[in-house]
Amino acid sequence: IPSLQKNPKDVAGAGDAFLLGMSLSIAKNANIWEACFIGSLLAGIQVSRQGNIPVSINELNEVLSI
């Protein structure tokens, strides 16, 4: 899956966010592709800002337009 963030500001925490998204998705019975997509979304949110700041569920919902 290619990067979903074209203008990264800081890559700190991107891997953590990706693995967290994948882990939680798989724990909720997502398939590997769905888990990768959620992980990539979280990593994209994480690198869009300066610093290693936790990603909130509201930010994920905003990206998903829920």
Side-chain angles (χ1 to χ4, degrees):
I1 297 175
S3 172
L4 300 176
Q5 178 55 257
K6 301 300 180 197
N7 299 310
K9 292 185 171 81
D10 185 1
V11 297
D16 296 338
F18 179 80
L19 291 174
L20 174 71
M22 282 199 65
S23 299
L24 291 175
S25 297
I26 289 172
K28 296 301 278 182
N29 298 317
N31 67 44
I32 192 69
W33 297 109
E34 293 166 333
C36 284
F37 181 68
I38 295 297
S40 292
L41 286 175
L42 291 178
I45 293 167
Q46 181 62 37
V47 302
S48 70
R49 55 194 172 189
Q50 193 69 32
N52 191 356
I53 304 163
V55 178
S56 73
I57 189 68
N58 292 333
E59 291 172 301
L60 179 60
N61 287 340
E62 186 177 312
V63 170
L64 291 171
S65 297
I66 292 178

